[in-house]
Amino acid sequence: MGGNSPCASCKLLRRRCAKDCIFSPYFPSDDPHKFAIVHKVFGASNVSKMLQELPVHQRADAVSSLVYEANARVRDPVYGCVGAISYLQNQVSQLQMQLAVAQAEILCIQMQQEPAMPTTQMDPDDKSYFHHDSLPQYLNFASSSNVIHDSLKRESIFGQDMVS
Amino acid sequence: MISGRCAACKYLRRRCPSDCIFSLYFPPNDPQRFACVHRIYGASNVGKMLQQLPPPLRAQAADTLYFEARCRIEDPVYGCVGIISQLHEQVQSAESELAKAQAEIAFLNCNPQEAPAPIEANSNFNNLLPEQYLCPPSAQNSWF
């Protein structure tokens, strides 16, 4: 985009927008906030290096993820995206427990309904076959729930406006 | 004193002042830690981010910055956002399985004579979060 309108990056950096500007396809001039937030967290130089190290067809996705991370970090300067990861891990863990309880209940009901089957004393409150202890925890960060509920929407994370 | 420099000041080849913002969070015995965050964020940005936080929160912030930097180095396209994407999918999948199980319970309670085949007690969600989340995912098309 080396025409009349410099891209958002070159506008912010106050420099001439070259025809082969690495930022211009991903930071259009009509969305100055997008580059501003990425520049604030990562720095223009680092973003440029990261993009240059990627094949062209992957750069748009990389920019989207960088924007997401930058927004998360601005919203939550302590935990950033890690808060979201921690929250989702907890959600998965809880759902797994609920599923195990439901499956145990199904088994109980089935055993009650088929008295001919060899019965073992099953205590519906017995949680011994819950295997959630095998869930790897690669994070030990406390969750930051004040950011998570606003930022995590299923339909489109990247379409979500992270900064209110 | 050169021997007392933190990992950041060693990396940046400068004197480590007594009030160095990095010294508490980037000890000299872990040079990789600062190298990672420097590569992704830059020393100046990391210093600014830490300065803007109250001291009790800086350690946690340094840890999360390091984690995210590591994810970005391992997956230059998606970084830790790839992990978030996969976790979202797992939440959706787990919710769907739970809904099915709850529907089956409701069915069994309403139809006591028609017991379906026993369901395995083992959850099929063991190891929902395998170690490979730290490795670059093969493709992330669900969000784009």
Side-chain angles (χ1 to χ4, degrees):
Chain A
M1 192 192 293
N4 299 328
S5 175
C7 68
S9 320
C10 294
K11 269 189 184 172
L12 184 76
L13 299 172
R14 299 187 184 186
R15 65 185 195 189
R16 188 179 69 87
C17 191
K19 276 187 196 170
D20 59 349
C21 174
I22 193 157
F23 297 118
S24 62
Y26 318 108
F27 297 101
S29 56
D30 59 357
D31 191 358
H33 172 74
K34 189 175 170 186
F35 182 76
I37 200 144
V38 167
H39 177 53
K40 180 174 179 175
V41 175
F42 296 100
S45 170
N46 290 328
V47 175
S48 173
K49 275 187 233 169
M50 284 190 253
L51 292 179
Q52 280 172 357
E53 288 170 2
L54 290 171
V56 175
H57 68 277
Q58 290 184 322
R59 290 178 184 174
D61 286 356
V63 166
S64 296
S65 66
L66 287 169
V67 170
Y68 181 83
E69 279 192 43
N71 276 305
R73 183 58 63 174
V74 167
R75 285 282 292 266
D76 186 349
V78 180
Y79 293 100
C81 278
V82 173
I85 292 173
S86 183
Y87 173 80
L88 287 167
Q89 267 192 302
N90 288 337
Q91 252 198 316
V92 169
S93 197
Q94 284 178 15
L95 285 166
Q96 186 182 13
M97 283 178 57
Q98 290 173 30
L99 181 62
V101 168
Q103 288 174 338
E105 190 171 343
I106 290 171
L107 275 176
C108 284
I109 296 171
Q110 288 171 339
M111 290 181 72
Q112 286 167 7
Q113 291 175 355
E114 294 192 25
M117 287 174 62
T119 55
T120 54
Q121 290 295 323
M122 178 177 284
D123 181 1
D125 293 328
D126 182 8
K127 308 285 191 292
S128 63
Y129 44 78
F130 292 172
H131 298 290
H132 48 268
D133 61 319
S134 64
L135 185 70
Q137 289 285 331
Y138 56 86
L139 284 181
N140 288 316
F141 300 109
S143 62
S144 172
S145 57
N146 59 336
V147 171
I148 307 309
H149 292 286
D150 292 337
S151 65
L152 296 178
K153 296 285 191 277
R154 288 200 183 87
E155 45 275 8
S156 172
I157 291 292
F158 287 92
Q160 178 75 16
D161 181 14
M162 290 290 298
V163 179
S164 57
Chain B
M1 187 173 303
I2 293 178
S3 62
R5 285 190 298 173
C6 68
C9 292
K10 275 189 182 176
Y11 186 95
L12 299 169
R13 297 186 186 185
R14 67 183 195 189
R15 187 181 68 87
C16 190
S18 55
D19 60 349
C20 176
I21 187 75
F22 300 113
S23 60
L24 287 175
Y25 319 110
F26 299 98
N29 60 348
D30 191 359
Q32 181 67 12
R33 183 175 158 97
F34 183 77
C36 277
V37 296
H38 177 67
R39 180 172 164 182
I40 301 302
Y41 298 102
S44 172
N45 287 334
V46 174
K48 272 188 238 170
M49 285 192 258
L50 292 177
Q51 288 277 10
Q52 288 166 2
L53 291 170
L57 297 177
R58 290 176 185 169
Q60 196 71 287
D63 285 345
T64 61
L65 285 168
Y66 173 50
F67 177 83
E68 289 188 31
R70 225 177 56 206
C71 288
R72 180 61 61 174
I73 290 169
E74 290 176 2
D75 183 357
V77 181
Y78 299 102
C80 66
V81 178
I83 298 174
I84 293 175
S85 177
Q86 296 202 23
L87 285 170
H88 262 297
E89 288 175 10
Q90 291 195 346
V91 165
Q92 288 179 359
S93 179
E95 285 177 340
S96 172
E97 290 293 321
L98 181 61
K100 284 185 206 167
Q102 289 170 339
E104 185 157 359
I105 290 170
F107 176 81
L108 288 172
N109 285 332
C110 293
N111 301 279
Q113 303 304 322
E114 299 174 26
I119 293 177
E120 291 296 322
N122 291 335
S123 165
N124 59 353
F125 286 110
N126 286 338
N127 299 321
L128 272 173
L129 303 173
E131 293 296 327
Q132 67 237 35
Y133 284 143
L134 293 178
C135 297
S138 56
Q140 296 287 342
N141 292 325
S142 58
W143 289 3
F144 305 101

